[in-house]
Amino acid sequence: MTAAAPVSTAQRAMMPVLIALSVTHLLNDMIQSLIPAIYPIIKEAYRLDFGQIGLITLTFQVSASLLQPAVGLYTDKHPMPYSMVVGMGFTLAGLIGLAYAGSYGLLLVSAACVGIGSSIFHPEATRMARNASGGQHGLAQGIFQVGGQTGGALGPLLAAFVIVPRGQASLAWFSVAALVAMMLMVWTAASYARLDRARPPKPAGVAKAATARPGRGSVAFAITILIVLLFSKNAYTASFTSFYTFYLMGKFGVSIQHSQEMLFLFLASSAAGALGGGMLGDRIGRNKIIWFSILGALPFTLVLPYADLFWTGVLTIVINVIMSSAFAAILIYALELLPGRVGLVGGFFYGLSFGLGGLAAALLGTVADWLGIEMVYKLCSFIPLIGLLAWFLPRLSEGTRGAKVGH
């Protein structure tokens, strides 16, 4: 009983680091979310079609995905908390480039810089969040995800009230947010290092319990299913981040500002799903959360293309609350399958999240050009059926779940 007290103290002491990581995630993803939020503006200014809009998303998402596994693999062996500051430097450069780009090519280069910044930030921040969790991995990942989801939701709102009235150049104003994030990242890295040194070593029983996991074949099979499930989630989400505003303006005749406000409501709802999914995963298991988070959205996605404006807003919120609970559960499930590879798994799955979302956006943009924007949402309504694959995920034993170890 006496040995548990120091661990509890260390767990409480790491909460400031988790909150700081969540805030930096908010600022990072807020800047990222400004890219799709300005699509209606640059589509008209540069006379782009939906295929070119999708290509901007693809450029950003692919640049964000390619480096993440490599960064994660390296930081697993050589932790580099201060690398997050370097990543935000790339994001700052891309943000300024987007504000003053004089051509479509410069828009692509600037979007790629923002993507590179994210590829550096996410693996190291994920590793720090897991190590600061005190064994409550779902809660820690949920707190971290809330920051990112909230930041992603702020982009459309800021676009509606700042960028749309003042123009593309007003993007440069948000460089202040990047500078604040860099200062907070320096504090977070220093605080994490100090608290990590003060944390007592794990009991021997923790390492022993962590070894009871499925064999290599089962792990590879489970990872493959998780990748497919992640693609289904990101393909559906990409239809909103890239084309929802156009859908609303085309079908219901709303203004750019109104469409951005509705996109904000859709994205903001994901914060509740991310936190709830992480916390419930600690209690009832990742398998159940993964099942619900994708397949559970199916009835609502099937109705959405035929709803009026009011019910479109309601249904999109319900859909996103359900589907946003998936990522934390998928990521933690993968981390429990591959313990000791936090940076690699975090970088790989964040990278896949960006890359698959970008690929889906490019494909959906082509569909929108050929068949119309409304057809995109009719086709996407069947995507949650892929959630049936969760049936084949192996059930992790209690000893495998990091959240249960030591409790």
Side-chain angles (χ1 to χ4, degrees):
M1 295 295 290
T2 57
V7 177
S8 177
T9 301
Q11 290 172 2
R12 290 195 300 269
M14 299 301 265
M15 187 57 70
V17 172
L18 288 174
I19 294 174
L21 285 170
S22 183
V23 175
T24 57
H25 201 187
L26 183 152
L27 294 171
N28 181 81
D29 285 22
M30 181 194 75
I31 295 172
Q32 289 178 189
S33 70
L34 293 174
I35 297 178
I38 64 169
Y39 283 169
I41 300 173
I42 62 175
K43 184 178 188 292
E44 181 178 350
Y46 294 85
R47 298 183 179 180
L48 307 178
D49 58 31
F50 287 118
Q52 289 174 305
I53 291 291
L55 185 58
I56 295 175
T57 302
L58 178 63
T59 300
F60 160 67
Q61 306 276 36
V62 169
S63 65
S65 66
L66 291 179
L67 287 177
Q68 290 204 40
V71 172
L73 180 62
Y74 183 83
T75 55
D76 277 337
K77 298 179 180 179
H78 310 282
M80 299 178 64
Y82 291 96
S83 64
M84 297 187 298
V85 183
V86 177
M88 185 54 65
F90 276 95
T91 299
L92 175 60
L95 182 64
I96 295 174
L98 286 169
Y100 299 109
S103 67
Y104 178 67
L106 288 177
L107 285 175
L108 293 177
V109 172
S110 300
C113 285
V114 177
I116 291 171
S118 289
S119 72
I120 297 173
F121 168 77
H122 283 106
E124 185 65 7
T126 300
R127 186 186 64 82
M128 292 172 66
R130 184 167 179 88
N131 289 342
S133 68
Q136 296 177 294
H137 302 309
L139 175 63
Q141 189 58 221
I143 292 172
F144 182 60
Q145 288 293 320
V146 162
Q149 302 288 1
T150 304
L154 288 174
L157 203 62
L158 294 170
F161 293 102
V162 178
I163 300 172
V164 171
R166 293 170 176 80
Q168 182 181 345
S170 62
L171 275 170
W173 297 1
F174 296 97
S175 60
V176 175
L179 294 174
V180 171
M182 293 171 80
M183 291 186 289
L184 186 57
M185 287 170 177
V186 171
W187 179 88
T188 303
S191 299
Y192 172 82
R194 183 176 65 254
L195 292 170
D196 191 48
R197 287 193 298 268
R199 183 171 54 186
K202 294 180 180 179
V206 173
K208 185 179 294 184
T211 60
R213 61 181 186 274
R216 289 185 178 181
S218 297
V219 168
F221 180 68
I223 292 293
T224 301
I225 293 178
L226 292 176
I227 291 171
V228 175
L229 294 174
L230 189 64
F231 173 76
S232 70
K233 173 194 176 299
N234 283 282
Y236 192 83
T237 303
S239 71
F240 282 86
T241 55
S242 295
F243 305 113
Y244 186 44
T245 53
F246 299 112
Y247 174 75
L248 293 172
M249 290 186 290
K251 184 174 182 178
F252 301 110
V254 302
S255 65
I256 293 179
Q257 285 87 350
H258 191 188
S259 69
Q260 296 283 14
E261 290 166 5
M262 291 190 68
L263 179 58
F264 164 75
L265 292 175
F266 168 77
L267 296 173
S269 63
S270 61
L275 183 60
M279 295 175 66
L280 284 174
D282 283 339
R283 294 177 177 272
I284 66 175
R286 318 297 173 204
N287 299 66
K288 295 177 182 178
I289 294 297
I290 294 172
W291 259 102
F292 172 73
S293 63
I294 299 177
L295 191 61
L298 181 62
F300 306 104
T301 61
L302 291 174
V303 174
L304 178 64
Y306 310 98
D308 60 19
L309 180 61
F310 172 79
W311 284 107
T312 293
V314 172
L315 287 170
T316 53
I317 291 173
V318 173
I319 290 168
N320 204 32
V321 167
I322 295 173
M323 296 192 76
S324 62
S325 64
F327 186 77
I330 289 173
L331 179 62
I332 297 168
Y333 190 102
L335 289 170
E336 290 165 353
L337 289 170
L338 298 169
R341 293 288 185 266
V342 180
L344 175 62
V345 172
F348 183 68
F349 274 85
Y350 270 108
L352 277 176
S353 179
F354 282 111
L356 295 176
L359 178 61
L363 294 173
L364 292 174
T366 302
V367 172
D369 285 329
W370 287 351
L371 303 176
I373 195 71
E374 292 185 33
M375 182 58 67
V376 168
Y377 290 90
K378 291 179 180 178
L379 294 175
C380 287
S381 66
F382 296 96
I383 288 178
L385 280 171
I386 298 175
L388 289 170
L389 290 175
W391 172 267
F392 299 102
L393 284 173
R395 294 186 61 83
L396 299 180
S397 64
E398 292 297 308
T400 309
R401 292 181 192 159
K404 300 293 185 182
V405 174
H407 292 272

